[in-house]
Amino acid sequence: MSDTSVNIVIGGEAGQGLVTVGDFLSKALVRAGYEIVVSQDYMSRVRGGHNTYAIRTSPDPVLAPKDEIDILVALNAETVSLHSDALSERAVVLADESVSFESKRRLKVPFKELIPKTIFENTAALGILAQLLCLEKTWFHRLIEETFSKKGKEIVQQNIDVFEGAFAWSQENDVSFECIAPATRTEKRLRLHGNEAIALGALAAGVNFCSFYPMTPSTSIALNLIAKGERMGLVAEQAEDEIAAVNMALGASFAGACVLVPTSGGGFALMTEGVSLAGMTETPVVFALAMRPGPATGLPTRTAQSDLNLVLYAGHGDFVRAIFTPGDIEECFYLTWKAVDLAERVQSPMFILTDQFLADSYRAVAPFDLDSLADVTKPDLSEEPDSNYMRYAMTKNGVSPRKLPGFGEFLVIADSDEHTQDGHITEDLAVAVDMADKRMRKMDILKEVIVPPTLDGDDIPELLLVCFGSTKGAALEAASMLREAGGKVAVIHFSQVYPLDSAHFLDVFESADRVVFVEGNVTGQFADLVRKETGFEADDRILRYDGLPFTAAYIIDRLEATR
C-alpha cells in the first residue's frame, strides 16, 4: 500500500499562534473528509522555546505520526535549523521573507504585505496551506465565520480577505507541491483528542463529580468535563492539592456520586494513600492518569509509558484493580465507560492509563454508538428500611450491598481500619483474614470481563510486535510496512494490561518466531509484567524514552539494529 499521506509540521515559539493554525487546518481536513493524526510537541513554558504542531493527513487511514516532513511552516528561523534534516524529497518550507536561510524549495512569504495586522498572520498561513494542498476554500470560509462571528461581520470579512489574498499569492508563487489526493468520505465525523474522548466516555457513564489538581497532560480531561458536563449536572472542584482531590472524590463517591479523578504521574504519587483508602472502604473511584516522563517533574509536557508500575502497585496492602490502556480515541471513550461501570460493580478503584501523545492527538472519529452502552451499575438507592443491612456483608463474590447515607432509615458506615461486616472497627484477627479474603474474591469478577488483546496480521508470524496503549498505531503501521516487504508480521495490542489472562495471548506468543515488546519506558515494564504473570520471556524489547511518540520508522530501525 503506497503512502498517500502528507506530513505538515508547524513550528515556532509558544505564543506565536502555531496551535491556532494547526487547529484550523486539522478541522478543515476532517470536515473535507480526510483522516488525521495530530501530534503536539511543546516545551514546559508559557512563552518561547520551540514547539511543533504536526498533522499527518491522508484520504486513507493514518495510524501514527511520521518522521519525514512534507510541508514545514516555520514561524521562526530556529524551526528550519531544527527540522531541516527531516525534510522529505518533495518538502516545501514556508517562512516569512525576513527569516534567513537557503533552500531550493523555500516559499518566501511576504507576510507584511499580505496582512493588515500581525494578528492575521495565522489566517494568511492557512490560505497558503490550503492552496498547496489543493483544498476547497469553502471549508476555511465556514471555519472563519464560525470562529469570528461573535466579533462581528467586519472581523469575519477581514479574515476572509486575508485568506483569499494569501491563497492567490500562493498560486502566483507556486512551488509545484503535489496536491493531496481527493478525499472520498462524506459522512460527518468528530475531531477529538484522547482527553476529550475520556471526558465524553465518563459523561456517557454518568460521572457527575470530578475533583482534580491541574497537571499536564491530564488537565484537559477536567476542562472538558467542566465545559461539557455542566448542563448534565456535573460538579467539578479544583482542589488545593492532589491529596485533597482524591479524598474529595472518595467522600463524593461515599455519598453516591459517580466520580473520576484525572491526574498525571507526580500528582498520582501523592494520591496513593487515597487509593488504598478506596480499596479498604470498597469505594468506587476511577483514576485517569496521563503519563509523561519522570521521575519527579521529568519532562512534564512530553510523552511516555513509564507509570505502568506506579499504577499497578499504587497503595499499600492488597486490593483488586483493573488497568485499561486505550490505544486510540474510540478506546478512550469506551474503556472509560467500562472503568466507571466496573468501579461500581466491584467497589474498588479502576484506572485509565493514557499518555501525553494520545491525550493531545486529534483524530477523525465516527460518532460514538451510545445505544450500544448498557446502563452502568448503580449503588442501591432504595429507601426501604433494612434492619439487617451490613455495608461489608460477606458474600460469595466479595461484593457487598452498597446503600447510600440519607436514602433510608439505615446506618451506613465506612471505616479505613479493618472492620466487621456492619462497618465497625475491629482487631479480631480472624475477622481481618475473612475481610481480606472477601475483598480479594472480587478479582474473579474482574477476570471474567477482561478485555482481550487484539491481534492484527499473520496468525503464525515470524515477528510478533507486542504493545499497549498509544503505541498501537505505530506498531500497526510498522507491521504493515514489513508485510509489504515480504515478512510474516503481526501486532498484538493490549488495551487492558491488568489483570491478564494468559489464555488470551500465550499461544500467539509461543507460535511466533520472534516476539518483540514495544514500549515507551526505559525498562520494559509491560514485558516484565507479562514475564511475572506467565513466565514468558520476550526475545527483544524496543524501548523509547526521549519524550517523543513512536513512529513506524523508529520501530523498523530498532528492529534492524537488534536483529
Side-chain angles (χ1 to χ4, degrees):
M1 182 177 71
S2 60
D3 183 5
T4 58
S5 69
V6 177
N7 192 29
I8 305 151
V9 174
I10 305 155
E13 295 181 1
Q16 281 193 292
L18 69 164
V19 174
T20 303
V21 179
D23 277 351
F24 256 93
L25 182 58
S26 58
K27 281 182 184 177
L29 286 164
V30 172
R31 292 186 180 188
Y34 289 94
E35 308 289 350
I36 61 167
V37 169
V38 169
S39 53
Q40 301 189 55
D41 183 61
Y42 46 94
M43 302 183 79
S44 180
R45 59 190 69 178
V46 177
R47 294 189 67 86
H50 177 68
N51 300 347
T52 61
Y53 188 111
I55 307 169
R56 186 183 181 191
T57 183
S58 169
D60 302 316
V62 284
L63 302 172
K66 188 178 178 182
D67 295 323
E68 275 197 331
I69 301 171
D70 300 310
I71 298 177
L72 178 62
V73 182
L75 300 182
N76 60 10
E78 185 184 22
T79 299
V80 180
S81 61
L82 289 175
H83 299 284
S84 58
D85 290 342
L87 297 176
S88 68
E89 291 183 357
R90 61 169 174 166
V92 174
V93 180
L94 276 67
D96 185 85
E97 58 186 358
S98 64
V99 176
S100 178
F101 71 96
E102 294 299 326
S103 171
K104 291 181 180 178
R105 296 185 62 80
R106 173 184 178 177
L107 199 54
K108 293 184 179 180
V109 183
F111 279 111
K112 290 182 179 177
E113 298 177 14
L114 295 173
I115 58 177
K117 297 179 182 177
T118 305
I119 59 172
F120 290 103
E121 189 170 310
N122 298 334
T123 305
L126 281 172
I128 297 168
L129 285 168
Q131 192 278 326
L132 285 179
L133 293 167
C134 307
L135 297 173
E136 289 186 18
K137 292 185 287 185
T138 52
W139 297 114
F140 295 89
H141 284 193
R142 291 172 189 167
L143 277 171
I144 289 171
E145 290 172 1
E146 290 174 13
T147 305
F148 299 112
S149 60
K150 291 183 178 178
K151 296 184 178 181
K153 293 182 180 178
E154 184 179 354
I155 297 297
V156 171
Q157 192 57 52
Q158 284 180 324
N159 276 278
I160 289 177
D161 290 344
V162 168
F163 177 87
E164 287 288 339
F167 193 97
W169 178 89
S170 185
Q171 285 179 312
E172 295 169 1
N173 295 271
D174 188 13
V175 291
S176 301
F177 186 81
E178 184 179 353
C179 293
I180 188 171
T184 57
R185 303 190 68 139
T186 57
E187 74 274 23
K188 289 186 177 180
R189 294 174 298 163
L190 305 170
R191 188 199 71 133
L192 295 176
H193 59 53
N195 278 0
E196 286 180 299
I198 288 173
L200 291 174
L203 291 173
V207 165
N208 56 10
F209 184 82
C210 169
S211 50
F212 70 105
Y213 186 77
M215 193 168 192
T216 303
S218 67
T219 305
S220 61
I221 297 174
L223 297 181
N224 275 283
L225 283 171
I226 294 168
K228 299 180 174 67
E230 185 176 4
R231 60 181 173 174
M232 300 176 68
L234 179 135
V235 174
E237 177 69 19
Q238 179 179 324
E240 63 268 32
D241 56 38
E242 287 86 351
I243 297 172
V246 66
N247 286 306
M248 282 181 184
L250 295 184
S253 181
F254 175 73
C258 188
V259 305
L260 182 135
V261 180
T263 187
S264 296
F268 184 72
L270 292 170
M271 295 179 177
T272 53
E273 187 174 9
V275 175
S276 295
L277 180 58
M280 172 57 94
T281 58
E282 304 187 45
T283 304
V285 58
V286 175
F287 295 89
L289 192 158
M291 293 182 284
R292 65 193 209 187
T297 308
L299 294 168
T301 58
R302 307 304 171 91
T303 199
Q305 293 182 305
S306 54
D307 290 338
L308 172 57
N309 283 341
L310 174 65
V311 171
L312 185 63
Y313 301 113
H316 48 282
D318 294 315
F319 51 92
V320 301
R321 70 190 75 193
I323 305 173
F324 299 100
T325 50
D328 52 38
I329 303 301
E330 289 85 352
E331 289 183 352
C332 284
F333 177 85
Y334 290 108
L335 291 177
T336 301
W337 179 92
K338 185 179 179 67
V340 173
D341 177 61
L342 211 51
E344 183 63 45
R345 283 180 63 187
V346 179
Q347 299 176 16
S348 199
M350 300 294 151
F351 302 88
I352 302 292
L353 199 55
T354 181
D355 56 54
Q356 181 269 329
F357 163 58
L358 187 56
D360 292 332
S361 183
Y362 285 103
R363 318 281 174 93
V365 296
F368 302 118
D369 183 6
L370 300 181
D371 292 335
S372 69
L373 302 176
D375 292 337
V376 297
T377 307
K378 300 286 186 184
D380 183 358
L381 300 178
S382 63
E383 300 180 19
E384 296 179 3
D386 184 355
S387 59
N388 296 319
Y389 174 68
M390 291 190 294
R391 171 64 186 97
Y392 301 111
M394 288 292 170
T395 61
K396 186 176 181 180
N397 64 7
V399 178
S400 305
R402 191 169 92 91
K403 288 181 174 291
L404 301 180
F407 275 75
E409 296 181 0
F410 41 77
L411 185 62
V412 179
I413 299 175
D415 200 320
S416 64
D417 284 48
E418 195 53 274
H419 39 252
T420 56
Q421 294 188 62
D422 60 4
H424 288 93
I425 188 170
T426 184
E427 292 203 27
D428 185 320
L429 302 187
V431 172
V433 171
D434 289 343
M435 278 293 165
D437 289 342
K438 180 192 100 70
R439 290 190 289 269
M440 293 308 295
R441 281 201 294 275
K442 295 187 285 188
M443 181 59 86
D444 290 339
I445 299 174
L446 294 180
K447 288 182 177 178
E448 290 174 358
V449 295
I450 290 173
V451 179
T454 55
L455 179 65
D456 183 276
D458 295 297
D459 290 336
I460 305 177
E462 297 166 348
L463 170 65
L464 178 66
L465 300 177
V466 184
C467 59
F468 72 96
S470 71
T471 309
K472 178 182 182 180
L476 288 173
E477 184 175 352
S480 177
M481 294 167 67
L482 292 169
R483 283 196 295 272
E484 285 185 7
K488 294 183 65 177
V489 185
V491 174
I492 188 165
H493 174 260
F494 289 75
S495 56
Q496 180 173 352
V497 294
Y498 188 81
L500 293 169
D501 183 348
S502 62
H504 289 154
F505 58 87
L506 205 53
D507 287 348
V508 179
F509 283 11
E510 291 173 345
S511 71
D513 295 338
R514 184 185 181 201
V515 178
V516 179
F517 279 65
V518 183
E519 300 184 45
N521 56 66
V522 183
T523 57
Q525 295 180 16
F526 185 54
D528 287 342
L529 174 60
V530 170
R531 181 175 59 188
K532 172 176 173 287
E533 295 283 316
T534 69
F536 183 87
E537 183 67 71
D539 296 299
D540 284 303
R541 303 178 185 194
I542 295 177
L543 308 172
R544 185 165 200 175
Y545 40 92
D546 58 2
L548 298 176
F550 276 100
T551 63
Y554 186 95
I555 293 172
I556 292 173
D557 286 348
R558 296 307 184 277
L559 281 171
E560 293 174 352
T562 56
R563 184 174 289 278

